[in-house]
């Protein structure tokens, strides 16, 4: 089984809809991250969390919210989706400063 | 703040050597990582440099100069499976800032 899983893998939705992307990890790491990737660009940090009670904004948090339900689960919500939120979303986890382990990604399309 | 600069694309033949450069401006800089990403796939970790110098892992090596805010990834003995995007990522202030990536295309 994969160490970091994301659901759904693909989603098409309409402008104004609420969307939740979920991430689970079995690596026992405390640190979890959400990134988005647009074509031709690197990954940009949306939110990150170092434990269940810790939530921090990244560089592009506007229009997004997160919930850290447990050490293993970190979900990303788009309260009212808009077309420019169409992107590939990755969840990642790490135990420290070096290697981050990424999930397979969620491809989100907002029409 | 954080910003990283990487050139965009390089094409090389199998067996060749490719160097991908990265410059960064990162407050609270801690270390520089490199990730590989195949089309549509998840980024996978290649290497991490916290100290100046060269780290070698098989065919891939990574270098860091903290005084120059510069690093590079060296891909040796290129194979077709090395065709991918390569990202540098600067660790600082408890977060990673990724460069825009460099696409490497390996041809026979």
């Amino acid at each position: 089984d994969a160490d970091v899983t994301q659901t759904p893998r693909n989603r098409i939705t309409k402008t104004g809809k609420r969307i939740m992307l979920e991430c689970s990890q079995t690596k026992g790491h405390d640190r979890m991250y959400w990134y988005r990737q647009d074509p031709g660009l690197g990954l940009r940090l949306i939110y990150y969390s170092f434990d269940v009670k810790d939530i921090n904004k990244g560089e592009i948090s506007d229009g997004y919210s997160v919930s850290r339900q447990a050490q293993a689960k970190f979900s990303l919500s788009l309260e009212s989706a808009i077309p420019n939120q169409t992107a590939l979303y990755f969840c990642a986890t790490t135990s420290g400063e070096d290697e981050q382990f990424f999930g397979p990604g969620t491809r989100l399309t907002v029409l | 703040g954080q910003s990283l600069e990487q050139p965009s694309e390089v094409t090389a033949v199998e067996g060749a050597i490719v160097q991908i450069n990265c410059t960064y401006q990162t407050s609270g800089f801690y270390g520089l990582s490199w990730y590989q990403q195949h089309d549509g796939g998840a980024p996978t970790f290649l290497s991490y440099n916290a100290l100046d110098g060269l780290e070698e892992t098989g065919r891939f090596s990574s270098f860091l100069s903290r005084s120059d805010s510069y690093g590079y990834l060296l891909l040796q003995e290129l194979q077709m499976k090395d065709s991918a995007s390569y990202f540098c990522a600067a660790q600082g202030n408890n977060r990673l800032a990724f460069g825009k990536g460099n696409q490497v295309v390996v041809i026979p």
Side-chain angles (χ1 to χ4, degrees):
Chain A
D1 287 341
D3 294 323
V4 185
T5 57
Q6 293 183 232
T7 56
R9 294 294 312 280
N10 289 281
R11 182 72 184 269
I12 300 174
T13 191
K14 294 182 179 179
T15 297
K17 294 291 187 181
R18 184 178 187 275
I19 297 297
M20 179 180 286
L21 309 182
E22 300 191 12
C23 176
S24 293
Q25 53 107 352
T26 59
K27 298 192 74 64
H29 293 164
D30 288 325
R31 304 185 184 191
M32 297 187 74
Y33 303 78
W34 274 105
Y35 296 92
R36 69 174 278 175
Q37 185 175 32
D38 297 279
L41 298 179
L43 285 78
R44 292 183 291 166
L45 182 64
I46 307 172
Y47 271 96
Y48 62 103
S49 168
F50 284 1
D51 65 40
V52 175
K53 299 179 181 179
D54 179 70
I55 300 291
N56 303 281
K57 291 183 177 181
E59 58 180 308
I60 54 164
S61 58
D62 286 349
Y64 301 94
S65 63
V66 291
S67 173
R68 185 77 184 270
Q69 303 95 319
Q71 185 202 38
K73 296 183 183 297
F74 192 34
S75 59
L76 176 71
S77 293
L78 289 69
E79 297 300 326
S80 180
I82 55 177
N84 75 3
Q85 290 177 314
T86 293
L88 186 55
Y89 290 85
F90 287 104
C91 172
T93 179
T94 185
S95 62
E97 302 296 338
D98 50 8
E99 181 174 2
Q100 289 198 3
F101 296 85
F102 285 81
T106 294
R107 190 169 297 279
L108 177 66
T109 303
V110 183
L111 301 176
Chain B
Q2 300 179 324
S3 66
L4 288 93
E5 296 294 327
Q6 286 185 260
S8 58
E9 182 173 324
V10 63
T11 300
V13 297
E14 278 186 293
I17 298 173
V18 165
Q19 179 172 316
I20 302 169
N21 300 312
C22 175
T23 59
Y24 60 87
Q25 288 182 315
T26 301
S27 57
F29 177 78
Y30 199 85
L32 190 70
S33 300
W34 290 92
Y35 286 79
Q36 179 191 61
Q37 185 182 31
H38 287 99
D39 269 351
T44 55
F45 174 82
L46 293 176
S47 67
Y48 175 71
N49 295 67
L51 302 176
D52 284 357
L54 190 68
E55 295 280 345
E56 297 180 78
T57 307
R59 295 185 296 111
F60 296 173
S61 303
S62 59
F63 171 82
L64 175 66
S65 169
R66 297 173 72 101
S67 60
D68 295 322
S69 297
Y70 164 77
Y72 67 73
L73 179 70
L74 194 68
L75 313 178
Q76 301 178 80
E77 301 173 24
L78 277 176
Q79 301 177 6
M80 296 297 290
K81 66 179 181 180
D82 297 331
S83 291
S85 292
Y86 293 84
F87 297 89
C88 62
Q91 181 80 31
N93 293 331
N94 295 316
R95 61 180 74 179
L96 273 182
F98 284 81
K100 294 182 179 180
N102 186 310
Q103 186 173 4
V104 174
V105 178
V106 183
I107 58 176

